[in-house]
Amino acid sequence: MSKDNLDPATPDDHTLAELVIDLDALAHNVRTLAGIASPAEVMAVVKADGYNHGVRQVVDTVLGAGATQIGVATIGEALEVRANGCTAPITAWMWYPGEELAAVFEHNITLGLPSLAHTRAFLEAARAADLFTPPTASLMFDSGLSRSGVGPQEWEQVVSLVAEAEQKCEVRITGLMTHLASADSPAAKATTDLQGERFQAAIDYCREQGLLVPTNHLANTPATVTRKDLHHEMVRTGVGIYGVDPMEQPLGIDLRPTMTLRARVLTTRVVPAGEGVSYGHLWRAEKDTRTAVVALGYADGLPRSISGRFSVTIDGVRYPQIGRVCMDQIVISLDDSDDPRAADHDVRPGDWAVIFGDGGTSLDEFSTIAGTIAYEVLTMPRGRVQCRYLPVSTPALPSPSTPAVAAAETAEDMREIGRALGSQVEAGTVIVLTGPLGAGKTTLTQGIAEGMGVKGRVQSPTFTIVRTHKPGASGTGLLHMDAYRLLGEDVAQSIEPGKHVDRDVVLDALESLDLDADLDEVVLVAEWGRGVVESLSDKVLDVEISRATEAGTDDEARRVSWRWL
């Protein structure tokens, strides 16, 4: 199944069936879940070829939308993601003792350790490799799923082995992970509570034994959206980023479908009354009936078991499938639709028939008809089905109730985020920029200035305290401030968390600089401004920049989050 196409299918492509993957919806879903999870990081799970969406395109999209780490099942999947150019942390958790690990170490893949045997194999391979940088692993703790993970009989021995190895700088343990059994079911809250308690106890035990375990994760998509108490340092989202509400009783989260399966109509005809259709003649025409053949069958992933139990949608009109699902094709009745528009609807060869997705049956409805779950249906299409991608659009500013997160792999990415913000803010807005030294606050401001179209080169305001940029075509100017130096070090350091400096104090400090600007007519960007400038406007956008990788590395990757106050 080809997964490289960005252009609409044409007759020259000979494409009879396709998956339309909406990357903009994918990015939206990641931003939504990242906002819910904040301040925890987001690991995006892209196993099984990105849930059949195309792993390369999915990885690029999720990292651009705010995920900071990637999760896969197998070592092979991890190496593929790395070979595609991904520099973010990658964790893989399915492997067997004795599997070759040289490539894992070479490409900096974090391995899950699900048993004592796996732990011993990992440590032996790490020591034999004699690496300059210790390889990384995540301890897989069995909190109650009883599938894969270190159980209570082996736990203390595993922790002892890795604690000793980490002390000798032979390995580095990034944290603990576990899998929840029933987080999607409100009725199973007691089970989830117990797993959460066991997981926290396991973390505490590791730290008692000298392990730092800095980044721990057990929250899948259901726990991400319903259990903030289980977020820890990172959540591990899977099906939610592909637009599926994960709960047994849907919560109505703002998740958008990412996949549409559709196929071409090949021919139409009239089946005379009394004649049977398709193999076995499971369906017979009670009257002369118009039918159409659609180019999709069980060789393309459509289950034969749903023969005669589903519909396809053409131009918004649903038509029932009749007879058996064949290897390459299905038949639909054009005269048995419940939609009154069908009588005047002219279905022709070449038309697209939607099996599920945009413009047709929902993924959840199709899953119910097929007697399975959305996870499985997403991974069904295969073989001759081609993939086409709808690109990501510029992210809009979030509403006051919806925070957002984006990833910036490079300085240019940081400027692009700034451009998106700058193109949408209005006069009177105060943007509070927070982040460590060298995080990219001035780089982000350069993008904001470009998005606003203001005049003048944007430089750090450290020495001038406030820089003024005159308006361009938009008519809105920009003030770029170092709020820390505006009030002086003594005042800035005395601000209590959650408290704000009095508005008059800030205004007096600005007036002392002889600024010729009305704050209602400009956008004020304040570096180090948290606790200082919020009182200056009722339109305050709080932006925080953090490193997506460990401090002290040369990696430029950053995580940018923003929310209205």
Side-chain angles (χ1 to χ4, degrees):
M1 183 163 64
S2 173
K3 292 188 174 175
D4 293 313
N5 192 18
L6 288 168
D7 301 317
T10 67
D12 293 340
D13 296 330
H14 306 293
T15 298
L16 298 182
E18 69 176 15
L19 283 178
V20 180
I21 306 299
D22 189 343
L23 297 179
D24 194 50
L26 183 71
H28 166 84
N29 297 337
V30 173
R31 289 193 296 268
T32 297
L33 293 170
I36 293 171
S38 182
E41 293 184 63
V42 173
M43 173 186 284
V45 180
V46 301
K47 61 184 180 178
D49 197 24
Y51 283 58
N52 207 30
H53 287 62
V55 69
R56 179 171 60 82
Q57 290 82 357
V58 168
V59 167
D60 290 346
T61 302
V62 299
L63 291 177
T68 56
Q69 299 199 27
I70 296 297
V72 295
T74 70
I75 289 174
E77 290 176 327
L79 295 176
E80 179 184 357
V81 172
R82 191 65 87 210
N84 287 335
C86 174
T87 59
I90 303 171
T91 299
W93 48 80
M94 282 179 55
W95 59 287
Y96 61 90
E99 193 168 350
E100 176 57 52
L101 301 184
V104 171
F105 301 151
E106 179 185 353
H107 296 287
N108 194 25
I109 307 299
T110 299
L111 277 189
L113 303 181
S115 75
L116 178 59
H118 286 80
T119 302
R120 285 173 169 159
F122 176 77
L123 294 178
E124 182 180 348
R127 288 164 181 151
D130 191 24
L131 302 164
F132 179 75
T133 302
T136 56
S138 178
L139 294 182
M140 296 177 65
F141 173 71
D142 181 11
S143 60
L145 186 63
S146 301
R147 184 183 67 180
S148 183
V150 183
Q153 301 89 343
E154 299 180 341
W155 181 242
E156 291 186 6
Q157 190 173 359
V158 166
V159 173
S160 176
L161 287 173
V162 298
E164 180 182 0
E166 184 169 88
Q167 188 175 18
K168 295 178 180 178
C169 295
E170 295 173 339
V171 300
R172 183 170 62 84
I173 304 301
T174 60
L176 277 65
M177 61 182 290
T178 195
H179 286 76
L180 294 171
S182 309
D184 59 333
S185 174
K189 181 179 182 298
T191 298
T192 303
D193 287 345
L194 178 59
Q195 286 194 261
E197 292 167 5
R198 288 173 172 174
F199 190 63
Q200 183 60 58
I203 295 170
D204 294 341
Y205 179 76
C206 286
R207 289 173 176 163
E208 290 169 3
Q209 302 307 307
L211 288 168
L212 297 176
V213 289
T215 305
N216 305 287
H217 47 101
L218 85 162
N220 53 8
T221 302
T224 297
V225 300
T226 64
R227 297 293 301 266
K228 197 167 185 67
D229 59 313
L230 301 181
H231 286 180
H232 289 273
E233 294 79 18
M234 184 162 66
V235 299
R236 194 176 61 246
T237 55
V239 76
I241 67 177
Y242 306 100
V244 176
D245 189 320
M247 302 302 293
E248 285 184 355
Q249 301 169 4
L251 297 176
I253 312 163
D254 184 20
L255 299 177
R256 300 176 186 172
T258 57
M259 177 184 287
T260 296
L261 175 62
R262 64 184 192 172
R264 296 278 193 186
V265 173
L266 298 177
T267 184
T268 61
R269 61 173 296 176
V270 175
V271 176
E275 290 294 321
V277 168
S278 195
Y279 296 117
H281 285 181
L282 300 182
W283 184 92
R284 287 186 179 274
E286 296 180 357
K287 59 183 186 302
D288 289 354
T289 302
R290 294 180 305 137
T291 64
V293 174
V294 176
L296 197 75
Y298 58 76
D300 307 300
L302 189 64
R304 187 172 182 267
S305 60
I306 63 171
S307 296
R309 296 195 286 117
F310 70 102
S311 299
V312 305
T313 307
I314 304 173
D315 296 329
V317 180
R318 283 198 182 191
Y319 296 99
Q321 185 270 327
I322 57 177
R324 275 215 174 102
V325 172
C326 304
M327 180 180 288
D328 314 301
Q329 53 202 302
I330 55 174
V331 181
I332 60 174
S333 170
L334 302 179
D335 285 338
D336 292 302
S337 173
D338 293 331
D339 192 323
R341 295 174 297 172
D344 299 319
H345 187 208
D346 184 19
V347 175
R348 299 182 179 184
D351 287 348
W352 286 111
V354 176
I355 314 305
F356 65 79
D358 187 29
T361 302
S362 72
L363 175 64
D364 283 336
E365 183 182 353
F366 187 86
S367 302
T368 300
I369 293 169
T372 186
I373 57 177
Y375 300 69
E376 182 178 6
V377 173
L378 288 173
T379 60
M380 281 180 178
R382 60 178 183 267
R384 295 166 293 196
V385 180
Q386 302 297 301
C387 257
R388 181 164 65 84
Y389 294 92
L390 305 181
V392 178
S393 63
T394 301
L397 281 174
S399 68
S401 61
T402 309
V405 182
E409 294 282 336
T410 66
E412 181 55 32
D413 291 341
M414 185 70 76
R415 278 186 282 270
E416 184 57 37
I417 295 170
R419 292 183 195 106
L421 297 176
S423 66
Q424 299 168 79
V425 293
E426 58 186 26
T429 300
V430 169
I431 301 177
V432 183
L433 282 186
T434 302
L437 285 170
K441 296 184 290 296
T442 299
T443 303
L444 182 70
T445 306
Q446 290 170 350
I448 292 172
E450 291 179 28
M452 293 177 59
V454 298
K455 299 177 181 179
R457 181 185 177 191
V458 173
Q459 296 176 293
S460 173
T462 299
F463 299 106
T464 57
I465 304 180
V466 179
R467 288 182 180 273
T468 302
H469 298 270
K470 294 182 179 181
S474 69
T476 301
L478 172 70
L479 290 184
H480 184 199
M481 171 200 299
D482 184 331
Y484 189 82
R485 295 195 65 236
L486 175 71
L487 298 182
E489 182 176 344
D490 293 339
V491 176
Q493 289 185 342
S494 68
I495 301 171
E496 297 180 26
K499 302 294 185 180
H500 296 160
V501 174
D502 183 84
R503 172 184 172 88
D504 291 337
V505 172
V506 181
L507 289 175
D508 288 345
L510 288 172
E511 187 176 349
S512 69
L513 298 174
D514 294 325
L515 291 176
D516 183 20
D518 186 335
L519 293 181
D520 292 331
E521 297 178 356
V522 298
V523 170
L524 173 62
V525 176
E527 298 189 19
W528 309 103
R530 192 171 284 173
V532 178
V533 296
E534 291 89 343
S535 62
L536 297 179
S537 175
D538 57 3
K539 294 179 289 188
V540 180
L541 186 65
D542 186 81
V543 181
E544 182 166 359
I545 305 172
S546 57
R547 298 182 187 276
T549 54
E550 294 181 36
T553 67
D554 294 329
D555 198 327
E556 294 185 22
R558 301 288 187 268
R559 182 174 184 262
V560 184
S561 60
W562 61 92
R563 63 191 179 95
W564 289 104
L565 299 181

